[in-house]
């Protein structure tokens, strides 16, 4: 949403890239099928093949996982205000 970070999800995990230079910014989790940015672009949700979902703070120079959700999730969404994730 802020145009500064690109997130990719594939069999090599969730990776973050600087949108201007395409330089790597970090890695979150293993094999992933989907990612979702919060409306403000500060949080990234990653949905992995191991049945976990990760909420990571991506506002800094490197991602920091803040929460791990157990369960079989393949996707989710942030509320429009970004305060809830479902």
């Amino acid at each position: 949403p802020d145009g500064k970070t690109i997130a990719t999800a594939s069999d090599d995990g969730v990776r973050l890239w600087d949108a201007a230079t395409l330089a790597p910014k970090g890695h979150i989790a293993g094999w992933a099928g989907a990612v979702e940015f919060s409306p403000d672009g500060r949080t990234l949700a990653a949905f992995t093949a191991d049945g976990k979902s990760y909420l990571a703070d991506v506002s800094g120079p490197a991602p920091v996982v803040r929460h791990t959700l157990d369960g079989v999730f393949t996707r989710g969404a942030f509320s429009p205000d970004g305060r809830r994730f479902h």
Side-chain angles (χ1 to χ4, degrees):
D2 65 4
K4 296 179 182 177
T5 303
I6 298 168
T8 59
S10 68
D11 60 354
D12 68 347
V14 175
R15 298 192 182 275
L16 298 171
W17 311 88
D18 182 285
T21 65
L22 298 181
K25 290 179 68 172
H27 178 264
I28 304 169
W31 186 98
V35 292
E36 175 82 25
F37 278 103
S38 63
D40 66 4
R42 298 178 61 85
T43 303
L44 183 77
F47 308 95
T48 64
D50 64 2
K52 294 185 181 190
S53 297
Y54 299 88
L55 295 176
D57 181 343
V58 294
S59 62
V64 177
V65 174
R66 300 285 186 207
H67 301 286
T68 302
L69 309 170
D70 289 320
V72 181
F73 300 102
T74 58
R75 55 193 278 198
F78 287 92
S79 61
D81 64 6
R83 298 172 104 187
R84 293 183 312 259
F85 179 77
H86 48 92

